Amino acid sequence: MTQQTGLHPLVQENMRGFLEKHPHLKYNFFGGKGGVGKTVLAGASALAFARLGKRTLLASTNPVHSLSGLLSQNVFGQVVQVTGVPNLFAYEIDTKDTIEKSKQEIKEKVSWFLKFAEIRTQADAFVESATMNPAFEESAMFENMIDIMFKDEYEVYVFDTAPTANARRLLGMSSVYSLWVGKMMKSREEAQSLRQVLSYSKKKEEKDPLMDYLLSFQQRMAHAKELLTDAQKTAFFFVTLPEALPIAVITRFIAWFKEFGIPVGGVVVNMLIDKAQVRADSPEFVRNRVAMQEAYMEEIKSDFPGMVRAVLPLFETEIRGVEMLKRTADALYC
Ligand SMILES: Nc1ncnc2c1ncn2[C@@H]1O[C@H](COP(=O)(O)OP(=O)(O)OP(=O)(O)O)[C@@H](O)[C@H]1O
Ligand SMILES: [Mg+2]
């Protein structure tokens, strides 16, 4: 592909080119190491989709209140239309509330099961030990995210913070789930028919909420897998800085994703210092930093061939508010 003018030489196919090739792109994710600019770039990307006239939801599953700060508008716990940007809606998911609801649901199921199995123990102790870990919280957030996807109320979704570990786990586990649920179904059916043979009464079998839950869970995971591996609809973008650790992090993520067939949309390099602003008499730490970034840009070039979609400058201030976000969107979709 011929290089477009105004683009960084590392960019062969930019965001715009990628979108032209993926006109049905619907689920966009931004991932990368902490603090590299995932929230900012998710916001800029969502704004760009909204400007194209697409009804867009920018959603954050990040427990830290990030979107409200970025937009200078309270979008916590509910979907809010972003002021001054038609078609753009933002939603910062209430993590605590999501986790609490999920715990409550599990508690009901465990209570039912304990009663069913005639075990006289309170569900609370079980539930506490099963849910007091970060993996449970992550899963609850992941389920909340796929629920938003399934509701299908927007043309485009941009999720701040790719649920990297979860997406990977989900795809790795989904065949195990199927196997497991399949086995449970079979033994459940056998038990039921045995019970019917032994029973004189023709009493109708009572409903089994645990089994229903497993079945619907399996179906939801299968559907999520279908959407998340559809390269026409889904793209995971990885944000890095021209620095060692952020590069190492996305290198690992990209390898995982490729292994599981999750579509990688590309790499965005953020916070590159504009060399034109640096002179021989600039402070030494600035010159050193520029030299360091230059070396890592070479590394990015060889590590992610053809995958860099944009290179964004380090702006003079942090990125806050819609006006600054528009500037970032211009740089991302130049
Ligand atoms: N190109 C840039 N120029 C200047 N400041 C930037 C740029 N990109 C991001 N920032 C600033 O860097 C900080 C971190 O950005 P952001 O919050 O988007 O990172 P993040 O990856 O979402 O972080 P976290 O992992 O904590 O969620 C913010 O203050 C943001 O305004
Ligand atoms: Mg963030």
Side-chain angles (χ1 to χ4, degrees):
M1 192 180 180
T2 54
Q3 204 182 293
Q4 288 126 326
T5 47
L7 284 185
H8 190 278
L10 235 65
V11 181
Q12 287 170 7
E13 183 182 76
N14 64 4
M15 275 297 212
R16 210 179 277 278
F18 182 82
L19 286 192
E20 278 164 15
K21 279 200 191 151
H22 298 81
H24 304 294
L25 197 62
K26 183 162 178 162
Y27 307 110
N28 300 269
F29 297 87
F30 282 82
K33 192 180 172 297
V36 294
K38 299 178 293 290
T39 301
V40 159
L41 291 172
S45 180
L47 192 140
F49 278 113
R51 283 203 297 211
L52 289 171
K54 302 202 177 200
R55 188 179 152 83
T56 303
L57 180 71
L58 168 64
S60 171
T61 54
N62 201 334
V64 185
H65 298 188
S66 47
L67 292 186
S68 296
L70 176 70
L71 300 166
S72 309
Q73 193 178 343
N74 183 15
V75 300
F76 183 69
Q78 56 182 340
V79 176
V80 175
Q81 150 93 64
V82 177
T83 311
V85 190
N87 300 315
L88 184 58
F89 299 82
Y91 176 33
E92 210 166 72
I93 297 164
D94 183 343
T95 320
K96 243 178 105 184
D97 182 58
T98 304
I99 292 166
E100 227 15 81
K101 277 188 187 142
S102 203
K103 263 190 194 171
Q104 202 50 42
E105 240 181 76
I106 298 227
K107 195 167 155 179
E108 278 161 25
K109 289 187 185 94
V110 172
S111 302
W112 178 87
F113 179 76
L114 292 177
K115 214 172 118 211
F116 173 80
E118 294 177 357
I119 301 171
R120 256 183 253 130
T121 311
Q122 288 294 314
D124 297 42
F126 275 111
V127 176
E128 272 312 306
S129 60
T131 56
M132 281 291 280
N133 65 66
F136 172 79
E137 304 195 347
E138 231 186 289
S139 297
M141 296 310 289
F142 185 77
E143 287 204 44
N144 192 302
M145 186 197 82
I146 60 175
D147 283 344
I148 294 174
M149 289 167 69
F150 293 169
K151 273 197 202 146
D152 206 13
E153 293 169 340
Y154 299 85
E155 283 174 273
V156 172
Y157 294 78
V158 182
F159 289 99
D160 167 23
T161 305
T164 316
N166 249 307
R168 176 176 177 257
R169 217 175 293 146
L170 161 81
L171 298 182
M173 287 298 287
S174 61
S175 44
V176 181
Y177 284 141
S178 309
L179 210 83
W180 184 50
V181 175
K183 276 215 163 90
M184 299 263 303
M185 288 284 283
K186 199 157 170 277
S187 62
R188 177 88 188 129
E189 275 161 18
E190 282 168 8
Q192 269 185 351
S193 58
L194 194 66
R195 212 192 270 188
Q196 259 156 16
V197 169
L198 293 175
S199 162
Y200 292 110
S201 77
K202 287 274 168 262
K203 198 176 91 180
K204 222 174 153 349
E205 267 303 309
E206 54 178 313
K207 256 178 85 63
D208 182 342
L210 202 60
M211 202 64 229
D212 288 352
Y213 172 74
L214 284 175
L215 263 180
S216 89
F217 184 72
Q218 184 199 20
Q219 279 161 4
R220 288 170 63 225
M221 290 301 136
H223 188 200
K225 182 181 177 181
E226 203 182 293
L227 293 182
L228 289 175
T229 52
D230 184 336
Q232 288 309 310
K233 286 191 182 144
T234 297
F236 282 75
F237 296 96
F238 291 101
V239 185
T240 188
L241 309 183
E243 283 177 28
L245 288 181
I247 295 175
V249 166
I250 70 163
T251 302
R252 200 170 62 227
F253 285 172
I254 290 173
W256 282 351
F257 276 40
K258 288 198 167 151
E259 187 187 337
F260 286 108
I262 311 178
V264 176
V267 171
V268 177
V269 182
N270 193 18
M271 303 196 206
L272 182 69
I273 299 170
D274 180 8
K275 260 199 306 191
Q277 308 241 357
V278 181
R279 295 185 310 266
D281 62 349
S282 292
E284 192 187 2
F285 78 90
V286 177
R287 284 183 281 120
N288 284 349
R289 195 140 197 104
V290 168
M292 177 200 80
Q293 287 198 338
E294 240 176 282
Y296 283 116
M297 287 304 275
E298 283 305 312
E299 197 172 311
I300 290 170
K301 186 178 171 181
S302 63
D303 287 357
F304 311 110
M307 291 172 72
V308 179
R309 302 275 166 260
V311 177
L312 270 76
L314 175 67
F315 289 105
E316 65 284 0
T317 63
E318 61 175 357
I319 298 163
R320 271 177 103 88
V322 165
E323 285 317 308
M324 190 78 185
L325 205 54
K326 282 181 182 164
R327 253 181 87 192
T328 314
D330 292 340
L332 186 60
Y333 286 84
C334 66

